[in-house]
Amino acid sequence: MLKLSGIFNTMVVFYMIRRNILNILKKNKKSLLILGPRQCGKSTLMRQLKPDLEVNLFHEQTFFEFSRNPSELESRLKACKGKLIFIDEIQRLPSLLNTIQVILDKPSNRYRFLLTGSSARKLRRGHANLLPGRINTYELGAVVASELGFAIDEERCLKYGSLPGIYSAESDAERQKTLRSYAATYLKEEIQAEALTRNIENFSRFLHVAALASGEYLDLTKLGSEAGISPQSAKRYFEILEDTLIVHSAKAFAKSSRKRLVKHPKYYFFDTGVLNAIMENFICSPDRKGRLFENLIFNQL
């Protein structure tokens, strides 16, 4: 168990968590794209690489400036003396990747780009230019045991997950407050703002039903029926959950690849705390502990 003295505040504990991927990123000389759900620490990780210029597309004024002026990035680069450029929430403006490619392809290019995104849907489904051969892509999740010296608080993780800012919060009340707002923020900023679906009420209901069945075999017909939507809508909504990195599927094991194709996969939410928040239940009761532990182990792997 991880025991923290009261003299440490939340920010100190947060920065004590050194992500395993940091050394890999420091050694990598190519431009990078880091994908991961909100609050998993992507921006904090990129800032540890000490970028010379930071562009946050989540900031509305910045987003509008880049949206209405195709040469905004090039203008800012001319005013920047450094070489390392960090662009946060790149999925909000996928067309910017075309400009980045042009810059990277110039013989005189001196820039290296650090890009982050909390949703792969607009990039993958919108046929965005993912800069093949020019950029390395990684996925970042919640904190794992090895990043805490294997002194992880299992009970805390089962109840509240291991998103870095939430795991290192000072109290359970603070953790619950943040997690309760996570689902609402996800629906508003990730789903509604990005127009991933027209019917936010149906999607919200499906999200809750999917959380209740996390860890079970994927049955879209059953999930759709319980959410009061068609199987086609259930399939589309589940794809959104996967593309926004909220759930991950685990394919069934079979020695025959043909049999493996017809078997139903299981699926898990990326973080047990977010899962509990969607279910509005932070009690790790005996009837829930087994499934939560399975979800936690899957996330750790």
Side-chain angles (χ1 to χ4, degrees):
M1 294 291 186
L2 178 66
K3 303 298 183 183
L4 298 173
S5 169
I7 62 173
F8 292 110
N9 61 31
T10 301
M11 290 304 295
V12 172
V13 176
F14 179 81
Y15 283 108
M16 284 172 58
I17 302 175
R18 182 179 175 86
R19 308 308 298 268
N20 290 333
I21 198 175
L22 183 60
N23 286 336
I24 297 173
L25 302 184
K26 284 183 174 180
K27 294 176 182 178
N28 196 320
K29 301 303 180 183
K30 300 192 74 169
S31 292
L32 306 170
L33 170 61
I34 307 295
L35 296 172
R38 293 187 184 278
Q39 296 190 26
C40 69
K42 301 184 300 298
S43 300
T44 301
L45 181 67
M46 291 295 95
R47 291 183 184 119
Q48 288 180 281
L49 296 177
K50 297 180 171 54
D52 301 298
L53 173 66
E54 179 174 339
V55 176
N56 185 0
L57 294 176
F58 191 69
H59 183 258
E60 289 301 326
Q61 181 61 35
T62 303
F63 173 74
F64 287 130
E65 288 172 358
F66 275 78
S67 298
R68 64 173 175 248
N69 182 10
S71 60
E72 181 68 24
L73 177 60
E74 291 160 302
S75 299
R76 296 197 182 197
L77 291 181
K78 288 179 181 178
C80 175
K81 296 180 180 179
K83 301 177 181 180
L84 196 56
I85 313 302
F86 171 32
I87 303 179
D88 208 1
E89 301 292 344
I90 188 66
Q91 86 281 347
R92 296 203 73 197
L93 202 59
S95 61
L96 195 57
L97 290 165
N98 294 324
T99 303
I100 293 173
Q101 176 176 328
V102 171
I103 295 170
L104 291 176
D105 285 349
K106 289 181 178 178
S108 59
N109 171 59
R110 63 187 180 91
Y111 299 107
R112 180 185 176 214
F113 289 90
L114 309 174
L115 313 174
T116 65
S118 56
S119 170
R121 187 168 184 85
K122 288 190 73 174
L123 299 178
R124 292 171 180 164
R125 306 283 170 176
H127 305 291
N129 181 359
L130 295 180
L131 308 176
R134 301 171 183 84
I135 194 165
N136 288 340
T137 302
Y138 298 89
E139 284 192 16
L140 184 68
V143 173
V144 294
S146 60
E147 294 172 329
L148 295 167
F150 295 98
I152 196 167
D153 189 326
E154 297 169 12
E155 190 76 14
R156 187 190 304 179
C157 284
L158 291 176
K159 292 179 179 178
Y160 307 115
S162 60
L163 289 172
I166 294 171
Y167 183 86
S168 52
E170 291 183 322
S171 68
D172 288 350
E174 185 179 343
R175 295 185 187 99
Q176 289 189 25
K177 182 179 179 181
T178 305
L179 284 166
R180 283 196 175 101
S181 69
Y182 193 100
T185 303
Y186 169 72
L187 290 171
K188 179 182 178 182
E189 296 177 357
E190 201 76 67
I191 305 302
Q192 193 171 35
E194 300 295 339
L196 297 184
T197 181
R198 296 177 182 176
N199 196 322
I200 197 68
E201 292 81 9
N202 281 356
F203 183 85
S204 177
R205 196 163 58 248
F206 177 81
L207 177 64
H208 184 75
V209 169
L212 291 172
S214 178
E216 296 181 3
Y217 289 104
L218 177 60
D219 187 338
L220 292 171
T221 301
K222 180 181 177 181
L223 291 178
S225 175
E226 293 181 358
I229 59 177
S230 67
Q232 292 78 14
S233 293
K235 182 177 184 296
R236 186 171 70 254
Y237 289 170
F238 190 81
E239 287 175 350
I240 291 175
L241 292 179
E242 286 191 306
D243 287 345
T244 53
L245 309 174
I246 295 297
V247 302
H248 298 282
S249 298
K251 294 181 179 179
F253 172 78
K255 291 183 178 180
S256 167
S257 58
R258 185 179 62 185
K259 290 182 179 179
R260 189 160 55 244
L261 287 172
V262 299
K263 287 191 173 185
H264 288 283
K266 284 188 173 184
Y267 71 93
Y268 300 90
F269 273 66
F270 82 100
D271 181 72
T272 50
V274 173
L275 172 65
N276 288 334
I278 295 171
M279 298 172 66
E280 300 179 347
N281 184 358
F282 292 102
I283 300 173
C284 192
S285 55
D287 62 309
R288 301 185 66 228
K289 184 170 288 188
R291 183 172 292 188
L292 287 173
F293 189 74
E294 182 180 340
N295 204 127
L296 175 62
I297 292 300
F298 178 83
N299 291 337
Q300 293 289 308
L301 291 173

